[in-house]
Amino acid sequence: MSFTATFSVSGAKLFGSCFSVLRMALWGRKERNSTQQKPLLLGKWKQRAWLLAGLAPALASSALAQTIPVTVQAGDPKVQISKHIYGHFAEHLGRCIYDGFWVDEKLNVPKQGRIRMDIVEALRKIKVPNLRWPGGCFADTYHWRDGVGPTAQRPKMLNMWWGNNLEDNSFGTHEFLELCKLLNTEPYLAANVGSGTVQEMAGWMEYLNSNDDTPLVLERRKNGHTEPYKVSWWGIGNESWGCGGNMTAEYYTDVYKRYATFAHNYPASPPLKKIVSGANGDDAHWTETCMKNIPLNQMWGLTLHQYTLPTGSWTGSKGKATGFSEQEYFNTMKNCLKMDAVVTKHAAIMDKYDKDKKVALLVDEWGVWTDVEPGTNPGFLYQQNSLRDALVAGTTLNIFNNHCDRVRGANLAQAVNVLQALVLTDKEKMLLTPTYHVFDLYQVHQDAQFLPLQFTSPDYVMGNDKVPALNASASKDASGAVHISLVNLDTKKTLKLETALPGVTYKTVSGRILTSAKTNDYNTFDNPNKVKLASFTGAKKRGGNLSVELPPQSVVVLELK
Ligand code: AHR
């Protein structure tokens, strides 16, 4: 069963639809107007000249416009988009935990204990499937016993990686697992391999997962949790090639096997999902060594960290979070799109050793990493979040969906107040970022059947350079509804999609869109809804076909029922 679709640059059907060309001219006008940010007050003749000027490029491009055939197969019902692709990350870093999820008792916001409930409510709406904690680099300095027992007796420590601030350990294992319960999410713990011991990690597992009367279990019960916590996701180290110990791949795989040997299952809890600390970006040697040296039955997953830096450089400026130019926007998207090649490369190596795809590739750190907001602690990694971040999120999640045979987990860095955050806070105030809205839109793909979608995208051209303007992914949920997520990266062109869907029975099409006048628009505490979701009326069912006009710089998710 398959269906085909065609995408064409708006204006292609010039002779069939003068109306759409006129609309495109008007759209172009709106676009220029919006980037100029002042009202367009033109006289009648000037308006006509403007319209003609708008039509000219449409007339020219329509002659060249390609129609792009798209084939979408019904897919294999066994291949699902794992909900865990939509995972998040909460590190003891800056204001993610402290002054983020975990606030001062006196702060006037809804709280359960010290957990901030307006954040919990917001995250529950987008269905967080798993939450990674306590790091990140912090994990390899963290000693879990410092964070259990009476709060007043917990020792303080310096957070050496992130701003050297005093960590009081008031948010520890029980508090994190309480947060996970409130979020209805799977906890994903990272064990300290860099500066911890095998015994320490094994003890943490026993404390959480056993129900026998051992001293550690008695201690957990005394600390208020009678039943085992049943934590099955365990990262064995983090960035072991870097902040996790600067190891070679060969050395790490030996260390991993030693730790994994003592990571025991307990009858009271489900078997552990042991996760190997994986590669930095496109480091093929790391992945190859892990796959070669670690027996498949000793790993459930292998990770990958791949960030999007606007400038592409870890030294010097990483680029601005707001107030960037179109060239900087283009560069960011070009860097973001590298995720596809990086995932493809690691997946191919994994296929050599694991042809049945038993081991999950988990991109457990990804997202936009910019310079910090001026005036904030450089160690806190606090950055604003614009429409550009949303386009990065939509694009990256499409890439993960399209690789769902191997990518079965991912964690955006990070949930609150750090890097590409979903939520930003300022004392009592809280805002949802454009990235949050993308996770809201895309939640329909969680655990849905993957529908492969193939097409050749038109180009988004910048000077002598170009990237594909369009990216997309599709799925069918348990009720039979089909969802198509579409991202148009082009800042000026509307993309027109003509879709035939012979394999899909549906009566109605609806959708929601995230867009704004400028790619560097963002939400502020004074204007928290500048970039927000709206209903999308640009998709029309015509007979069995579906026509979509996808506005510039937008993320759209359609529902066909
Ligand atoms: O997410 C911020 C940091 O980035 C993490 O602590 C580390 O793992 C990575 O380098």
Side-chain angles (χ1 to χ4, degrees), residues 89 91 93 136-137 162 238-239 243 305 307 365 369 381 413-414 419:
F89 179 26
E91 181 168 7
L93 193 179
C137 296
W162 306 117
N238 167 74
E239 298 196 350
C243 66
H305 289 181
Y307 283 96
E365 286 188 30
W369 190 321
L381 308 187
Q414 297 193 7
L419 298 176

Side-chain angles (χ1 to χ4, degrees), residues 240-308:
S240 302
W241 40 262
C243 66
N246 278 306
M247 305 178 203
T248 62
E250 290 72 13
Y251 180 70
Y252 170 69
T253 51
D254 278 348
V255 170
Y256 175 87
K257 284 185 278 188
R258 191 159 70 91
Y259 273 73
T261 305
F262 299 97
H264 294 300
N265 290 328
Y266 290 91
S269 297
L272 302 186
K273 291 177 162 47
K274 298 176 200 172
I275 297 164
V276 179
S277 168
N280 177 20
D282 66 355
D283 181 354
H285 175 72
W286 191 277
T287 296
E288 183 95 41
T289 309
C290 291
M291 293 305 294
K292 191 162 58 188
N293 292 359
I294 302 171
L296 293 185
N297 64 7
Q298 277 190 38
M299 60 172 148
W300 177 79
L302 169 67
T303 71
L304 162 68
H305 289 181
Q306 168 75 12
Y307 283 96
T308 296

Side-chain angles (χ1 to χ4, degrees), residues 122-303:
L123 295 185
R124 280 179 71 96
K125 286 194 188 127
I126 59 169
K127 293 201 188 113
V128 175
N130 72 76
L131 188 63
R132 181 168 179 251
W133 177 84
C137 296
F138 180 78
D140 281 294
T141 61
Y142 184 62
H143 301 286
W144 69 270
R145 297 201 63 120
D146 295 348
V148 296
T151 314
Q153 288 164 28
R154 296 184 191 176
K156 296 186 171 55
M157 68 179 282
L158 275 187
N159 189 334
M160 303 298 278
W161 285 113
W162 306 117
N164 259 330
N165 65 317
L166 202 60
E167 156 74 58
D168 69 5
N169 276 309
S170 57
F171 188 88
T173 300
H174 288 255
E175 291 75 19
F176 173 68
L177 292 166
E178 179 61 22
L179 172 64
C180 289
K181 194 167 147 201
L182 291 170
L183 289 170
N184 192 23
T185 196
E186 185 83 41
Y188 171 15
L189 298 190
N192 179 346
V193 169
S195 70
T197 64
V198 173
Q199 185 185 21
E200 184 182 7
M201 180 203 70
W204 203 6
M205 291 167 174
E206 182 184 327
Y207 182 88
L208 292 172
N209 291 345
S210 171
N211 209 16
D212 296 308
D213 293 343
T214 65
L216 281 172
V217 172
L218 297 180
E219 191 180 333
R220 183 195 72 224
R221 291 182 188 145
K222 193 166 138 224
N223 288 336
H225 210 270
T226 318
E227 294 303 312
Y229 275 109
K230 304 185 180 183
V231 176
S232 54
W233 286 53
W234 287 90
I236 314 283
N238 167 74
E239 298 196 350
S240 302
W241 40 262
C243 66
N246 278 306
M247 305 178 203
T248 62
E250 290 72 13
Y251 180 70
Y252 170 69
T253 51
D254 278 348
V255 170
Y256 175 87
K257 284 185 278 188
R258 191 159 70 91
Y259 273 73
T261 305
F262 299 97
H264 294 300
N265 290 328
Y266 290 91
S269 297
L272 302 186
K273 291 177 162 47
K274 298 176 200 172
I275 297 164
V276 179
S277 168
N280 177 20
D282 66 355
D283 181 354
H285 175 72
W286 191 277
T287 296
E288 183 95 41
T289 309
C290 291
M291 293 305 294
K292 191 162 58 188
N293 292 359
I294 302 171
L296 293 185
N297 64 7
Q298 277 190 38
M299 60 172 148
W300 177 79
L302 169 67
T303 71

